[in-house]
Amino acid sequence: MAELNFAEKRVLVVGGTSGINRGIAEAFAREGARVAVVSRKQAKVDDTLAALRKAGASAVHGFAADVRDAAALAEGVAELHKLWGELDVVVSGAAGNFPALASTMSANAFKSVIDIDLLGTFHVMKAVYPFLKKPGASIINISAPQAVLPMLAQSHVSAAKAGVDMITRSLAVEWGGEGIRLNSIIPGPIDGTEGMARLAPGDHLRKAVVDSVPLGRMGSPQDIANACLFLASDLAAYITGAILPVDGGWVQGGVAVVGSTLGDVIEKSQRDSASISD
Ligand code: NAP
Ligand code: COA
């Protein structure tokens, strides 16, 4: 009978030093896996490694790199391979977000999110490919509801994350013959995270979010980690190319309601700042 068994498995979580992705890294650590993390800030990497050790990881490793820097990422992953050998699980979740309407956002602002989320995901896929366990490796890309539903002030993120999901589906086809599985997870609104602090600041928006989730609550990093453990395990051996919402039903429509509430808030703040500068 297939089961969850990650003892000594080699797991890399890119962007694994805060929020949802750190919750995923810690969940694999609690299962006794060897867990490596990457993000831009060495201090966040160091803090996370201490937490992973405490959680029960059989080994930990980390390095600082920006996913926009393909060479630095490739070098760090090659170093990891020298230490641990082939990777069993890769979670790719580094991302940037801020609310901004297309009419006022600069081209560089749009590009910054495309560079981190979309190109960054491609860089991660390229960096890990030579070092994946073949057959057997599982890659999980962290997407977002905006990939499948438009949301006001999120055109940059929608475009980037829709692209991420198509990377997942395309590489599931390209790499399936080598026994590599790729899936995306679409997290719903996850409580206490940077993403929610940016998209739902204040009680008004927070309540709008909670009210718009069919299951009536925000999610937790553990909700997303549970889905990762499943997708990375032999229980999901025949699942590849799937885009899995783990969101309390939010992508059935609620996300669009929150988008229009967020859009109203942004438009009002832009009107207010225009009238202050008049
Ligand atoms: P978060 O706490 O800001 O986590 C982002 C992580 O990525 C951090 O470890 C950050 O560390 C790293 N990172 C950011 N830019 C990077 C870059 N250029 N290169 C390398 N690492 C980088 O965010 P979160 O809210 O938990 O979101 C995590 C993921 O879930 C994202 O993919 C997001 O799109 C997705 N998601 C979140 C929600 C939500 O409710 N929060 C909902 C749907 C989807 P450094 O600062 O050290 O680089
Ligand atoms: N509204 C509109 N434009 C914004 C913005 C905002 N809130 N924040 C940044 N920008 C613009 C900047 O003005 C700049 O454009 P410009 O050169 O035309 O002025 C462009 O975006 C890049 O900003 P910069 O600060 O140089 O980017 P960075 O590479 O240092 O940081 C971000 C990338 C902007 C995505 C930053 O928010 C980040 O690092 N986020 C990671 C954490 C995160 O977003 N977590 C949530 C994940 S869901």
Side-chain angles (χ1 to χ4, degrees):
M1 168 68 183
E3 57 185 19
L4 298 183
N5 181 0
F6 292 106
E8 304 287 340
K9 288 282 165 65
R10 292 144 301 191
V11 179
L12 170 65
V13 184
V14 180
T17 63
S18 61
I20 295 173
N21 304 323
R22 176 159 162 169
I24 294 168
E26 289 182 6
F28 279 104
R30 283 193 293 276
E31 296 294 321
R34 289 179 259 183
V35 186
V37 292
V38 189
S39 78
R40 291 167 300 176
K41 301 182 189 99
Q42 188 65 48
K44 283 176 76 173
V45 171
D46 293 342
D47 183 69
T48 304
L49 296 186
L52 293 174
R53 270 189 213 100
K54 215 169 154 190
S58 47
V60 300
H61 181 71
F63 61 94
D66 192 314
V67 292
R68 290 169 286 192
D69 184 345
L73 201 55
E75 195 181 315
V77 175
E79 194 60 36
L80 175 64
H81 175 251
K82 273 192 207 142
L83 290 172
W84 290 355
E86 291 171 332
L87 293 168
D88 297 288
V89 180
V90 175
V91 178
S92 177
N97 193 1
F98 46 81
L101 297 169
S103 52
T104 48
M105 179 177 14
S106 71
N108 194 45
F110 190 91
K111 181 176 179 298
S112 69
V113 170
I114 298 292
D115 282 350
I116 299 167
D117 295 22
L118 181 53
L119 275 175
T121 299
F122 184 70
H123 292 156
V124 174
M125 300 299 105
K126 291 279 284 183
V128 300
Y129 174 74
F131 306 121
L132 293 172
K133 189 171 177 219
K134 304 178 188 92
S138 166
I139 297 179
I140 299 165
N141 289 322
I142 305 300
S143 181
Q146 298 91 312
V148 291
L149 272 182
M151 185 174 176
L152 269 165
Q154 288 286 277
S155 62
H156 45 333
V157 176
S158 291
K161 292 290 195 177
V164 167
D165 288 346
M166 285 312 291
I167 289 178
T168 296
R169 296 174 62 192
S170 302
L171 300 193
V173 174
E174 282 192 30
W175 297 352
E178 294 171 272
I180 300 166
R181 296 185 297 108
L182 288 100
N183 296 287
S184 280
I185 287 178
I186 294 185
I190 305 303
D191 213 359
T193 59
E194 183 61 26
M196 271 299 107
R198 290 177 182 220
L199 286 187
D203 291 345
H204 175 58
L205 272 165
R206 191 190 147 80
K207 183 173 179 321
V209 169
V210 174
D211 289 349
S212 68
V213 178
L215 287 184
R217 67 166 174 93
M218 287 203 189
S220 66
Q222 188 64 48
D223 287 318
I224 308 306
N226 290 342
C228 286
L229 292 173
F230 165 67
L231 283 176
S233 78
D234 289 346
L235 292 171
Y238 201 51
I239 302 179
T240 194
I243 312 297
L244 178 67
V246 182
D247 70 340
W250 209 34
V251 291
Q252 306 312 321
V255 66
V257 177
V258 172
S260 73
T261 312
L262 177 63
D264 291 345
V265 170
I266 293 171
E267 274 163 358
K268 181 176 179 310
S269 84
Q270 286 180 348
R271 276 198 307 276
D272 290 350
S273 57
S275 65
I276 288 166
S277 57
D278 284 346

